[in-house]
Amino acid sequence: MERTQVPQDAQQTAPALLLRNATVIDGAVNQPVPALDVLVEHGRIQAVAPTGTLPLPATAGPERLRVLECTGLTVLPGFFDCHVHVSTRPDADRFDTLMAPESLLTLRSVPVLASTLDAGITTARDLAGADSGFRSAVEAGHVRGPALQIALRILSITGGHGDWRTVGGTPLDSGPGAGVVADSPAGFVRATREVVREGADWIKVAATGGMSSPRSAPEAGGLTEAELRAVVQEAERQGVVGVAAHAQGTAGIAAAVRAGVRSIEHGYLVDGPTLQEMGERGTYLVPTLSALTRPAPEHGPPHEVERRHRMRETALERLSAALTSGVPVALGTDAGIAPHGRNLRELALMVRLGLSPAAAIAAGTSVAARMCRLDDEVGTVRAGMRADLVVTGVDPLTDIAALGDPDAIRTVVRGGRIVRHTDVPSDAGRERAA
Ligand SMILES: [Zn+2]
């Protein structure tokens, strides 16, 4: 397999790029349109038009214009994963992590970022762990990876999902991803300002306990509604993108929605009345099915194994109702808990729970872009948009599961630049993986 990994040098100007004779799924309407040319210049989509009808740049030549023959291939917008932890590994041993120097943890994230990009993800929202250095390093081209929005830390009550101290008070979670613990509306205003100071695009709150948290089960309450409101208000005042609420139990999800958070993460036990309110308010749901459906960790703590067994079936039922209720759904995997670099497996899981393949693609493109307030820039294949694109040999509308195999992603374009290109036919890749 020939795989070109183009070094990204932000200063260097990329040649214009013509994706010729592609079928285009634009991410918004999602009716595939065959036989289109997509012309990219200066990092943006200049035009999308029937094959052969575009006037090519006057000085066209191999250094000025690269042509990708896309006959039989489909071009989609670059995808979003709206819930990742690039600095966390699903197989990580907590003791090893505690004892590791910061540099090792950071450098281990370099291939994670690359594999996320290679899986077709051109924008990711990291919901705890990555600090602003990750975002800057990708933007500057020091490492290959998706553009990042970051939350840095989770805001949690004492004993809640972000409080990783031993009973004696020893922190088990230090460094940039450690939770911020507070216990009053004023305390959470301050915590919000603290993560904004560190460069947060999003504020992440623990509205309930969680599967892995040592003292706080998924059904347990996290921030009170008054505390959640204080965070939402301060987040608006500070002009961040929004508040993302880790919320698994029914009451905590409802409180977060009433308080006005922008996204519900997981949403496992969401009920009918809250779904209705989410629909009215336009609250986004990020169902993280990749994390929910992964096998319970073999050597995980017994409480986590028990919670996963206990909740899984009910959560799948509730989320199936949610996905077909019309609330806006954005793709997010919880990679870091779920495996990295297999992000688009989430598409098939969403389809299994009732989304159409086209709606699942929208969840990973145009809807995710809207949630992240980036829909003027990315998420659709349209003239004027930033050229973040994915080229695949599979037909995503008839075989959505195939997109979950990174070998099906032939080409990734980010900001008009080819950042991954492989000439292996996607079918061969799939046979090998099977
Ligand atoms: Zn998470």
Side-chain angles (χ1 to χ4, degrees), residues 86-87 102 106 126 128-137 148-153 175-177 198-200:
V86 295
S87 58
E102 202 64 50
T106 304
D126 189 286
D131 64 17
S132 63
F134 284 73
R135 189 179 54 198
S136 304
L148 292 174
Q149 289 189 338
I150 58 170
L152 290 128
R153 304 165 181 278
E198 293 173 22

Side-chain angles (χ1 to χ4, degrees), residues 83 85 204 334:
H83 192 136
H85 304 278
K204 169 120 181 254
D334 215 352

Side-chain angles (χ1 to χ4, degrees), residues 83-85 127 204 246 266 334 337:
H83 192 136
V84 299
H85 304 278
L127 285 185
K204 169 120 181 254
H246 162 101
H266 317 301
D334 215 352
I337 305 297

Side-chain angles (χ1 to χ4, degrees), residues 17 59 65-66 74 81 91 105 129 140 176-177 182 189 209 219 259 261 269 292 294 310 356 380 391 416:
L17 179 65
T59 51
L65 178 72
R66 179 160 181 194
T74 298
D81 188 332
D91 55 349
L105 301 179
V189 168
E219 298 89 340
V261 304
L269 300 183
L292 178 65
R294 75 165 188 150
R310 169 159 56 84
S356 68
T380 47
V391 183

